[in-house]
Amino acid sequence: MKTAETLLACCVVGLACFIGGQTIGARGNSVLDEASGTIVGRPSRANMLRTRMAATPSAASRTAVPHSEERLVADAAGNARSAGNTDEMRRRIVSGMSGTYIDELLAARDSAISRWPDRVTRPLRVFVREGTELEMWNPDFTPAVRDAFDTWVGARIPVRFTFVRDSATADIHVRFVSTFASGISGKTVWSRDGAHWLLSSDIQLAVTHPNGGSITAPQMRAIALHEVGHLLGLDHTRDTENIMSARVRVRELSEADKATVRLVYAVPAGSLKR
Ligand SMILES: [Zn+2]
């Protein structure tokens, strides 16, 4: 039987998202998002936690809390997927890929699907830490971010979210920062096990543009939609009509965004390589 330590021979992927321009949704004033996902090898459990803490310095206390429940779910699911299922995964992906950008996702992720285990009856717990100490804080940011999570659920995926007050019990942590260096507007870091099942995630969102201008609540919602798309396992697409475009020019999920995330959640996590 696999031990928790074996399962945690996992990878941490960081997605740093950058924006430029003043507004989101207006043609010609796009949000530039240059997410870069980097698998940092197969670190030990201790190394994984250190990596996450480096990405989210304030998370030191919560990273000490093991997400053992999530790991057990991933263990069972990972063991259940035999190598023989790769052909079935490929068949389902091919038959369902029309109207999606799954091909771009697979190209970016070395032919692997990373996703959360189904979490309908046991929703993923989301802790949103409000940035009331930030000069440009807007109380409308919190409902905007919550709406972004709920909007993805509306795409009919087998994942639900519940917003919790205790960060120690959360699977997903969201916090706001004043700004990032080099124009970063959002950052999503998630960890997964060796079978590509997602385990936990952290999102950071900037409340100001790189030039110092304030971000509006609708803009924050659009940025959060993009970051939650990463959190769910999506990557970038070239089509700027989609929220997962590297240059975010829209404020709502496209049919392709919805179809792609549904297809991701129609198959188990794992590599499509034979
Ligand atoms: Zn991105």
Side-chain angles (χ1 to χ4, degrees):
M1 178 179 290
K2 290 183 178 180
T3 64
E5 285 68 27
T6 302
L7 283 170
L8 285 167
C10 68
C11 303
V12 177
V13 176
L15 295 162
C17 298
F18 302 78
I19 65 168
Q22 280 294 316
T23 63
I24 303 167
R27 294 291 187 271
N29 287 316
S30 63
V31 170
L32 173 62
D33 178 284
E34 299 175 344
S36 60
T38 305
I39 295 176
V40 294
R42 292 183 173 274
S44 66
R45 176 182 180 182
N47 283 341
M48 184 188 78
L49 293 182
R50 276 198 293 273
T51 302
R52 295 184 61 217
M53 288 168 64
T56 55
S58 69
S61 60
R62 65 178 180 255
T63 52
V65 179
H67 295 182
S68 57
E69 189 179 20
E70 186 69 16
R71 288 165 189 158
L72 288 172
V73 170
D75 187 14
N79 287 341
R81 194 180 73 79
S82 68
N85 287 346
T86 301
D87 286 343
E88 173 62 12
M89 281 182 66
R90 295 170 69 94
R91 188 194 66 76
R92 291 166 71 177
I93 291 289
V94 170
S95 67
M97 69 189 309
S98 177
T100 76
Y101 44 82
I102 195 79
D103 54 335
E104 295 177 81
L105 185 154
L106 293 172
R109 297 280 178 83
D110 194 25
S111 298
I113 297 285
S114 294
R115 51 159 282 193
W116 296 88
D118 289 5
R119 293 292 291 263
V120 175
T121 58
R122 194 166 58 87
L124 289 169
R125 300 176 297 271
V126 182
F127 174 73
V128 180
R129 181 188 179 282
E130 296 193 317
T132 52
E133 78 283 5
L134 302 173
E135 183 180 356
M136 304 299 276
W137 171 248
N138 178 341
D140 292 336
F141 287 160
T142 301
V145 169
R146 289 188 175 197
D147 189 64
F149 278 93
D150 291 338
T151 298
W152 277 107
V153 171
R156 304 198 307 278
I157 55 175
V159 171
R160 301 290 181 273
F161 299 104
T162 185
F163 298 94
V164 299
R165 293 180 177 275
D166 181 3
S167 67
T169 65
D171 304 295
I172 296 160
H173 299 84
V174 181
R175 70 185 181 97
F176 300 90
V177 298
S178 179
T179 189
F180 291 98
S182 305
I184 296 174
S185 71
K187 183 177 182 181
T188 301
V189 178
W190 42 262
S191 60
R192 64 168 172 83
D193 67 12
H196 294 273
W197 293 101
L198 300 182
L199 300 169
S200 63
S201 184
D202 295 304
I203 290 178
Q204 296 178 56
L205 299 163
V207 301
T208 56
H209 288 286
N211 64 6
S214 61
I215 287 177
T216 67
Q219 290 171 339
M220 179 62 74
R221 179 177 175 275
I223 296 170
L225 277 173
H226 182 97
E227 299 303 328
V228 175
H230 283 313
L231 176 150
L232 288 167
L234 297 186
D235 212 302
H236 288 156
T237 173
R238 291 184 298 273
D239 188 344
T240 56
E241 293 299 312
N242 303 324
I243 201 75
M244 294 312 295
S245 165
R247 288 183 177 273
V248 181
R249 298 192 181 196
V250 296
R251 294 189 178 183
E252 297 295 340
L253 304 185
S254 66
E255 289 306 312
D257 289 316
K258 298 175 188 176
T260 303
V261 78
R262 277 198 293 270
L263 185 54
V264 166
Y265 281 84
V267 297
S271 174
L272 295 179
K273 288 184 176 179
R274 289 189 175 93

